[in-house]
Amino acid sequence: LPLSIIIASTFATANVQVLQENSESGLMEYKRKTRQLSYVFFLFAIFSLLFAKQIFSVVYGNAFELSAQIFGVYILIIISRLMILKPLIMAQNLNHWLIPIAISELVVNVVFSYLLVPTLGIVGIAWGTVIAYSYEKICMLIILQFKSKWSINQYFSIPLFAFYTVVMIICYLLSFAN
């Protein structure tokens, strides 16, 4: 999970200038590189979801089963992490939207974490974070849809992303739904 954050951030920073200078070929290259990252991280996430309980039980013992469940929820964050939209927003000089989105994401995280803790316990905090990160990406997609000159299909592989998202959710449910 930390590695995905580092690589996504580095990827985002490296691509802003490319997108600004040559938008058409830059978008095609951006989409290709995003797909490559997706393959690696989605496969790692699927493997992690399927075997988290076993790995945690071997490494830490059965007492850490709740930790495996929290880990499983946090692995779902990779879904939103691989929607690398900040460079697209920055390349189109829509940076002024990033602060309101970040502030509202924080509010969503706190509210959902607070609401989910009574029913889900500490796992509710993890779900609050997953919901908040997803909210952030939805907001960015909306901004890009209405304020950008680019179509979502130019920079994002919807079928690939949808496929891996469904597979990850199924793997999570198979591994952690009781």
Side-chain angles (χ1 to χ4, degrees), residues 7-27 29-31 33-34 84-95 98 140 144 149-150:
I7 290 176
S9 298
T10 304
F11 176 78
T13 304
N15 281 285
V16 173
Q17 188 171 359
V18 173
L19 290 167
Q20 285 175 333
E21 290 174 357
N22 191 349
S23 64
E24 193 61 39
S25 65
L27 279 175
E29 183 67 11
Y30 179 84
K31 186 175 182 178
K33 288 179 181 178
T34 303
I84 307 169
L85 302 173
K86 282 184 186 173
L88 299 165
I89 288 175
M90 294 168 70
Q92 298 214 13
N93 294 322
L94 298 170
N95 302 358
L98 293 175
M140 288 181 180
L144 286 168
K149 59 186 174 196
W150 298 326

Side-chain angles (χ1 to χ4, degrees), residues 61-88:
N62 291 333
F64 285 85
E65 189 173 319
L66 179 60
S67 298
Q69 188 174 0
I70 294 168
F71 175 77
V73 174
Y74 276 124
I75 284 295
L76 294 175
I77 289 175
I78 288 178
I79 295 169
S80 64
R81 283 282 179 219
L82 290 174
M83 292 180 73
I84 307 169
L85 302 173
K86 282 184 186 173
L88 299 165

Side-chain angles (χ1 to χ4, degrees), residues 34-47:
T34 303
R35 262 197 310 254
Q36 288 175 337
L37 280 176
S38 295
Y39 292 133
V40 172
F41 283 105
F42 274 126
L43 291 175
F44 170 76
I46 289 166
F47 175 82

Side-chain angles (χ1 to χ4, degrees), residues 120-161:
L120 300 176
I122 196 165
V123 176
I125 295 171
W127 276 110
T129 303
V130 170
I131 292 167
Y133 282 11
S134 300
Y135 164 83
E136 173 196 37
K137 299 305 179 170
I138 290 168
C139 288
M140 288 181 180
L141 281 171
I142 290 169
I143 297 302
L144 286 168
Q145 179 66 33
F146 291 108
K147 301 288 184 180
S148 170
K149 59 186 174 196
W150 298 326
S151 149
I152 190 170
N153 292 321
Q154 287 180 282
Y155 58 83
F156 193 65
S157 181
I158 296 171
L160 174 75
F161 188 80

